Amino acid sequence: MKNNKGIQKIVLVMVLLLTIASLTGCAISTDGKTVKPSVSEDYYGAIDHDLLQEKTIPPTEGEWSYFYELDEKTSGQLQEIVTDLSNSGQTYPKGSSEQKISDLYASAIDMDNRNAQGLSAVTPYLKQIESAQNLDEYLDGLIALSGIGESSLLGYSYNQDDMNSDKMMISLESMNDLIGKEYMENDSMQDYCDAYQKYIQDMLVLSGEESGTAGTNAKAIYTFASTVAAQELAPEQLYDPTSYYNSYSYDELLGFYSNINMNKYLESQGLSSDDHYIVKEVDAAKQINAMFTEENLPVLKEYTKFVVLNDLAKYAPAAYRDLKLDMTMKLSGSTEKKTDQRLAFDDVEKFLEWEFGKLYVDKYFDEKAKQDVKTMVVTIIDQYKEIINAQDWMSPETKQKAILKLDTMDLKIGYPDQWSTIGDYLQVTSLAEGGSYLANAIGLQQAARQFNYDEYKKGVNREQWYMTPQSVNAYYNPGNNEIVFPAAILQAPYFDENQSSGKNLGGIGAVIAHEISHAFDKNGSLYDEKGNYNVWWTPAEYQNYDALSQKIIAYYGNYTISTGDSVNGTLTLSENIADLGALTTVTAVAEKQGQALEDVYSNWATIWAQLSTPDLEKNYLLTDVHSPAQVRVNAVLSSIDEFYDVYGIKEGDKMYVAPGDRVAIWQTKPTQ
């Protein structure tokens, strides 16, 4: 997997596909079927029982959810476009979306050509790493790889500056940590770690190493990566500017990386003239620097070789692709490989995502839905203002600052007003012209790298989207103080003009309120209306906020999943704050509008319906900043007073939580 930690601050994605669900609370009967619980026992289980009895986890996946189902629907629509282009028999103008899509897909699906081409497109870069006689030559190899969008030991990202959102900053990232810190440091995940180390060995053998040598190298690579991973930040810290915003001048940065010629590296990237640089994970960077020695050169070279092979395996001959697929399936718990056609489409859509985005919007997006959602956003923001004004622990001055943040919040729905110009950079060489899939993949990565650099040089672009229109998702971006809802999420069960207004409030309305709440969650609350890190609370107010947060952490820590493992209340804090704020807000809106709260709450449960393999459940519990799906439903509703009135929940019921133990930051009633 590629190291993508650099995007986590930019986009606090809230409606991630990666959430856990299980059927805990649904008792197993003697015939093996689950027994439907009552709403007072397990609301999630009661509402979603029949639905989940009908659904199964596809063998090619680790889960089923509505995110998955709608993503499959969208993918099917886009695959029709690819099929039509491939079967048309036409020759499209060079550089057109049609030409790039059809020729890239043709190169991806031609397995004979992929197998015949082998690794030839990346071989010169691997040879440069393998032949390095010293650290300087090794660094030259890393620089060459960065030119094609590959990073292993050294990497960086371009972000809006937390302290000045009108400027860009360069963030030095930790290295690719392979299976990841969360797996490496958890004893219960040892089987996966052992499998990953065997995967490293098998990949090295496939590349030509003798089995015994590859085994020794695999162990050294894994040990090296785990040593660095031990110094990395915890997942929740990657959202916290007090943890990752570590500023260095250019001279200070060169001194920090005392063993690495960072002057040479940064100059090669065109990045040697910034007034400051951010080292996101200081302790990990120190560890990398300490291990950048001539003595460690053999393992550094092997490590980089494996990372590149792992990164590019999807586009390489079938043996490499399938080896990586096997490892991916082990981690997800899926049991069947996708077809060559589907794998090819998934890659092509990812490479050319904005071309597909335009085609999707033109053919499938309903502009009326955009207007309906805009109206809903205005209503929810107005309600949020009332909720803020109801907080007895906030001063009038601080309330006005919070309301200013709402008044200046940017709303983006459906698709960008200004489409990305990355397509102008992306070119595909057909098989007839001598192209190959791996060569095209490398060329597209190289072009994307150049595009990102050029955009960085232009400065902040507040019109940029971090998700495509075909994404079934949504996000809040603190640097722009914006909420973004791509076109593909504006579908049932999230939004449907034919379902009740109450259900739409419990679906897309709750998603909207969730994203708005992120402006005031544990991390988003640290940014002002302009997107700058700026603590606009008084010390006493933030102390109150922290006390409420600690109560939420403890509350969620009492919930467990089917394995018996507890939810990590610290990891999931900001998402839990957003969920609680969302349901509080849409409840108040529904009551004003005379909508049935049963519709609101039942659709909240429906949109989180999910089945997951045990492998994926373990993964999510360690790495996902969202609570498990069943907990997202039950824990939130058990802290909403109106829920008790609607369903007659009483003391002694499993869904009952004593009034003094119910939690929230943003409440419609004075703090208890």
Side-chain angles (χ1 to χ4, degrees):
M1 63 185 70
K2 288 199 177 183
N3 186 345
N4 63 356
K5 293 180 180 179
I7 67 169
Q8 296 193 43
K9 178 265 159 184
I10 299 178
V11 183
L12 301 185
V13 179
M14 305 314 145
V15 194
L16 285 177
L17 285 67
L18 305 183
T19 48
I20 312 169
S22 61
L23 288 177
T24 51
C26 300
I28 305 298
S29 66
T30 55
D31 62 3
K33 294 183 178 180
T34 58
V35 177
K36 185 175 182 178
S38 66
V39 294
S40 62
E41 177 187 8
D42 171 13
Y43 189 79
Y44 170 89
I47 299 300
D48 291 337
H49 177 273
D50 293 344
L51 171 66
L52 293 177
Q53 288 289 294
E54 297 171 1
K55 301 295 182 180
T56 57
I57 301 173
T60 58
E61 307 297 328
E63 65 186 351
W64 173 89
S65 68
Y66 273 115
F67 289 104
Y68 164 78
E69 191 160 292
L70 290 184
D71 187 61
E72 283 296 288
K73 175 184 174 183
T74 302
S75 293
Q77 293 168 331
L78 296 177
Q79 286 176 68
E80 289 178 6
I81 295 171
V82 174
T83 301
D84 290 344
L85 292 174
S86 298
N87 295 337
S88 70
Q90 297 184 44
T91 300
Y92 300 102
K94 186 71 174 177
S96 65
S97 295
E98 292 82 0
Q99 179 266 320
K100 287 183 280 189
I101 290 171
S102 57
D103 284 344
L104 186 60
Y105 181 77
S107 68
I109 203 65
D110 191 335
M111 297 308 300
D112 289 339
N113 180 270
R114 287 173 62 171
N115 292 336
Q117 291 288 333
L119 298 177
S120 58
V122 73
T123 297
Y125 300 96
L126 292 175
K127 283 186 175 179
Q128 186 173 1
I129 291 294
E130 291 172 342
S131 64
Q133 298 298 305
N134 51 54
L135 290 175
D136 196 51
E137 290 182 3
Y138 170 67
L139 183 61
D140 287 339
L142 294 181
I143 290 170
L145 283 168
S146 71
I148 61 169
E150 285 295 319
S151 62
S152 57
L153 192 75
L154 300 174
Y156 56 88
S157 62
Y158 309 120
N159 304 324
Q160 279 176 275
D161 196 317
D162 291 86
M163 302 302 171
N164 182 356
S165 63
D166 291 328
K167 293 184 61 179
M168 298 294 290
M169 69 180 185
I170 300 165
S171 298
L172 280 298
E173 311 289 344
S174 183
M175 68 183 213
N176 186 318
D177 62 4
L178 309 184
I179 196 173
K181 174 186 181 74
E182 294 75 31
Y183 279 85
M184 291 172 168
E185 296 183 350
N186 191 300
D187 291 341
S188 69
M189 310 302 275
Q190 189 60 49
D191 286 348
Y192 300 97
C193 294
D194 291 343
Y196 199 89
Q197 188 167 315
K198 180 63 165 56
Y199 165 61
I200 298 172
Q201 179 181 357
D202 291 343
M203 186 67 79
L204 296 178
V205 168
L206 197 56
S207 74
E209 294 188 12
E210 185 272 327
S211 180
T213 301
T216 300
N217 288 336
K219 183 177 181 180
I221 290 168
Y222 186 88
T223 300
F224 170 62
S226 61
T227 300
V228 175
Q231 303 302 318
E232 291 178 336
L233 297 176
E236 63 269 20
Q237 292 177 296
L238 291 165
Y239 291 80
D240 180 3
T242 62
S243 296
Y244 69 72
Y245 194 92
N246 307 296
S247 181
Y248 293 80
S249 69
Y250 187 69
D251 289 341
E252 288 171 338
L253 192 70
L254 300 187
F256 180 89
Y257 287 99
S258 56
N259 290 343
I260 305 174
N261 189 346
M262 289 299 287
N263 179 56
K264 181 178 184 178
Y265 178 76
L266 290 173
E267 282 191 353
S268 72
Q269 310 302 302
L271 302 177
S272 59
S273 59
D274 262 42
D275 55 7
H276 72 288
Y277 300 79
I278 303 302
V279 178
K280 297 192 73 170
E281 302 189 69
V282 171
D283 290 341
K286 287 180 179 177
Q287 186 68 57
I288 292 168
N289 180 68
M291 299 180 77
F292 197 86
T293 64
E294 295 290 348
E295 180 183 3
N296 287 325
L297 182 60
V299 71
L300 294 174
K301 290 163 57 175
E302 288 291 322
Y303 161 78
T304 294
K305 175 183 176 181
F306 168 73
V307 168
V308 173
L309 290 172
N310 181 54
D311 282 352
L312 297 178
K314 293 173 64 176
Y315 324 119
Y320 289 91
R321 182 201 67 180
D322 291 345
L323 184 61
K324 179 166 185 171
L325 271 176
D326 288 341
M327 189 65 238
T328 302
M329 290 168 63
K330 167 72 174 177
L331 295 176
S332 70
S334 58
T335 57
E336 185 178 300
K337 291 177 182 176
K338 293 181 179 180
T339 64
D340 289 347
Q341 291 79 8
R342 179 55 190 269
L343 291 168
F345 165 77
D346 288 347
D347 290 342
V348 171
E349 194 274 333
K350 181 179 178 181
F351 274 125
L352 303 174
E353 58 186 2
W354 287 106
E355 267 94 349
F356 278 100
K358 289 181 180 179
L359 294 170
Y360 177 78
V361 167
D362 289 344
K363 193 167 184 179
Y364 297 108
F365 185 55
D366 179 6
E367 290 289 343
K368 184 179 182 299
K370 184 173 184 175
Q371 297 306 314
D372 291 344
V373 171
K374 277 186 176 180
T375 300
M376 194 180 296
V377 170
V378 171
T379 300
I380 290 171
I381 285 179
D382 286 343
Q383 183 60 55
Y384 222 107
K385 291 178 182 178
E386 291 189 25
I387 291 172
I388 287 171
N389 279 321
Q391 307 311 303
D392 60 0
W393 53 275
M394 293 174 71
S395 67
E397 293 78 15
T398 304
K399 290 177 182 178
Q400 285 305 306
K401 291 176 182 176
I403 289 171
L404 176 61
K405 196 168 184 181
L406 290 171
D407 284 337
T408 56
M409 186 175 288
D410 192 17
L411 169 64
K412 295 176 178 176
I413 300 176
Y415 55 90
D417 292 332
Q418 297 178 14
W419 288 91
S420 171
T421 59
I422 191 173
D424 297 339
Y425 289 70
L426 304 177
Q427 299 298 324
V428 174
T429 303
S430 69
L431 294 174
E433 296 172 310
S436 72
Y437 189 38
L438 182 57
N440 275 321
I442 289 172
L444 290 166
Q445 287 189 174
Q446 190 173 21
R449 175 187 179 276
Q450 185 63 49
F451 170 78
N452 290 332
Y453 178 78
D454 290 347
E455 290 296 297
Y456 153 71
K457 282 297 189 181
K458 290 177 185 176
V460 172
N461 177 8
R462 294 184 184 270
E463 297 303 314
Q464 181 181 4
W465 281 46
Y466 296 101
M467 287 181 185
T468 59
Q470 64 270 33
S471 302
V472 185
N473 220 319
Y475 67 91
Y476 171 73
N477 176 3
N480 280 353
N481 188 28
E482 65 182 2
I483 49 176
V484 183
F485 305 96
I489 200 172
L490 305 184
Q491 302 181 71
Y494 305 97
F495 176 80
D496 186 348
E497 63 180 8
N498 296 316
Q499 70 184 8
S500 72
S501 296
K503 285 189 177 293
N504 280 336
L505 277 172
I508 196 65
V511 172
I512 292 166
H514 176 106
E515 303 308 335
I516 292 171
S517 295
H518 273 295
F520 308 105
D521 71 19
K522 186 64 173 175
N523 299 311
S525 62
L526 301 175
Y527 293 83
D528 63 23
E529 77 281 1
K530 295 180 181 178
N532 298 315
Y533 176 75
N534 178 16
V535 182
W536 40 276
W537 311 78
T538 66
E541 287 168 336
Y542 207 70
Q543 187 175 7
N544 283 331
Y545 188 109
D546 190 60
L548 293 170
S549 296
Q550 293 303 315
K551 190 175 179 181
I552 293 172
I553 290 172
Y555 175 78
Y556 276 85
N558 288 325
Y559 283 86
T560 60
I561 62 170
S562 57
T563 62
D565 294 308
S566 297
V567 174
N568 185 335
T570 301
L571 174 65
T572 58
L573 175 60
S574 283
E575 294 298 332
N576 295 335
I577 290 173
D579 282 345
L580 290 161
L583 264 292
T584 297
T585 305
V586 296
T587 293
V589 170
E591 287 188 314
K592 283 185 177 179
Q593 295 180 349
Q595 304 296 332
L597 288 178
E598 293 95 329
D599 284 353
V600 176
Y601 299 148
S602 64
N603 207 33
W604 172 252
T606 298
I607 66 173
W608 296 117
Q610 189 172 19
L611 297 169
S612 300
T613 64
D615 301 277
L616 212 52
E617 284 193 351
K618 291 178 182 179
N619 177 301
Y620 291 164
L621 199 64
L622 287 175
T623 65
D624 193 4
V625 294
H626 303 77
S627 288
Q630 185 174 16
V631 177
R632 292 189 82 163
V633 174
N634 289 352
V636 170
L637 292 177
S638 288
S639 274
I640 303 292
D641 293 342
E642 291 80 0
F643 172 72
Y644 291 79
D645 298 332
V646 171
Y647 290 100
I649 307 298
K650 60 186 183 302
E651 190 170 0
D653 294 333
K654 289 186 178 180
M655 288 295 296
Y656 180 85
V657 172
D661 295 328
R662 297 170 196 172
V663 296
I665 297 290
W666 307 107
Q667 307 171 78
T668 55
K669 300 174 183 178
T671 307
Q672 295 173 341

